[in-house]
Amino acid sequence: MDIPTRTTVVHYAEHGSGVPVLVLHGGGVDHREPQACFEPAFDGVPGYRRIYPDLPGMGRTAAGPEIGGAEDVLEVLLDFADRASGGAPYLLAGHSAGAYYARAMALAAPQRVAGLALVCLLLPGDAEVPEHRVLVPGVQSEDRGFTQYFVLHTRGMLERYERFVASGTQLADAQAMERIGRHWELPAAAPSTYEPPTLLVAGRQDSTVGFAGTMRAAADFPNSTLAVLDGAGHALPHEQPLLLRALLVDWLARTRRGAG
């Protein structure tokens, strides 16, 4: 499905009905990765309309020359969220760069975002990352996209990578991503806190964004749960699905109590 915003047409997939939950993917992939990782959390938890957009320049959402950097992407996402939710308050989740945009959206429009979940949060200027270390060796692969993303090199993880990650990277607009990447940092927001229920999850072995920045960011979210998961790298949603599901279900329960 597609929704036109002021500057671009955003492609998305959706499931279920009820409270809107917008889930944003990371860089270079498309909506199929978070869809595969987050949908199991909603199994048996009715009352949510899950919305998975392709970010500009990725999947089936084009990024024309008017999309020149992260500020333009943020404007598209805020407009898309308003249109997709029908103006109702919505929940917001994201992984990696998707978490970076989700955090900015919540701080920009806290009255609209009724709950926030950030997984493997990308933050600018955060150099505190561990060296990449494979915890479970197994299958051999020449694809550095897999070997550097995952720390569990099992047959199951390779199959998930090929099905939900590599398939999305093939659709990415390299020129648009390079253009946006030159201006990927959003202006520093004025010091503020976000009060609605929040979840922050990081991988102990995440060699892409680390976990120290997520721990520091928790100070901006006074009603937050913070979890650093051992046995997970940047591909945490694939590598620790049961723990992630438990944390997301708890987050959903907290947002319901807040709404009540």
Side-chain angles (χ1 to χ4, degrees):
M1 291 179 281
D2 300 301
I3 286 182
T5 68
R6 288 186 292 271
T7 55
T8 193
V9 177
V10 176
H11 177 76
Y12 70 101
E14 72 169 68
H15 307 276
S17 61
V19 176
V21 185
L22 186 68
V23 186
L24 308 181
H25 64 76
V29 294
D30 66 11
H31 73 274
R32 288 173 291 176
E33 182 178 19
Q35 181 176 259
C37 296
F38 282 75
E39 275 301 289
F42 292 92
D43 186 21
V45 186
Y48 294 97
R49 174 180 168 233
R50 292 89 66 195
I51 303 166
Y52 299 89
D54 288 340
L55 272 62
M58 290 166 268
R60 291 169 59 187
T61 298
E66 69 280 0
I67 307 296
E71 289 185 84
D72 300 316
V73 174
L74 179 62
E75 181 180 342
V76 168
L77 292 175
L78 286 167
D79 191 13
F80 171 80
D82 284 344
R83 295 170 187 258
S85 66
Y90 55 88
L91 305 182
L92 186 57
H95 172 245
S96 188
Y100 178 58
Y101 286 116
R103 176 176 178 268
M105 292 170 69
L107 294 177
Q111 73 284 358
R112 298 298 313 282
V113 182
L116 180 66
L118 306 175
V119 181
C120 300
L121 173 62
L122 170 68
L123 288 170
D126 197 349
E128 295 182 54
V129 299
E131 292 200 9
H132 185 69
R133 179 165 62 96
V134 177
L135 299 182
V136 179
V139 297
Q140 301 296 315
S141 174
E142 298 298 322
D143 190 333
R144 285 180 57 84
F146 170 70
T147 59
Q148 297 300 305
Y149 185 26
F150 285 73
V151 297
L152 306 182
H153 288 186
T154 66
R155 172 59 58 185
M157 291 299 104
L158 179 58
E159 290 175 353
R160 289 186 67 85
Y161 168 77
E162 292 173 344
R163 182 176 180 186
F164 302 120
V165 181
S167 59
T169 64
Q170 296 169 6
L171 298 179
D173 182 337
Q175 290 186 336
M177 289 187 62
E178 181 181 2
R179 183 176 67 248
I180 295 168
R182 288 195 294 266
H183 306 282
W184 76 271
E185 292 192 27
L186 293 165
S192 63
T193 58
Y194 172 81
E195 299 287 344
T198 303
L199 171 65
L200 300 101
V201 187
R204 175 71 67 174
Q205 288 81 28
D206 189 335
S207 60
T208 300
V209 301
F211 60 86
T214 296
M215 296 178 69
R216 289 192 296 270
D220 296 331
F221 306 100
N223 297 306
S224 63
T225 292
L226 169 65
V228 179
L229 305 187
D230 189 34
H234 201 55
L236 180 154
H238 300 279
E239 295 173 325
Q240 292 289 354
L242 297 181
L243 284 173
L244 180 60
R245 181 183 189 279
L247 291 164
L248 288 169
V249 169
D250 173 76
W251 169 66
L252 292 171
R254 291 191 289 122
T255 63
R256 286 196 296 271
R257 290 195 295 269

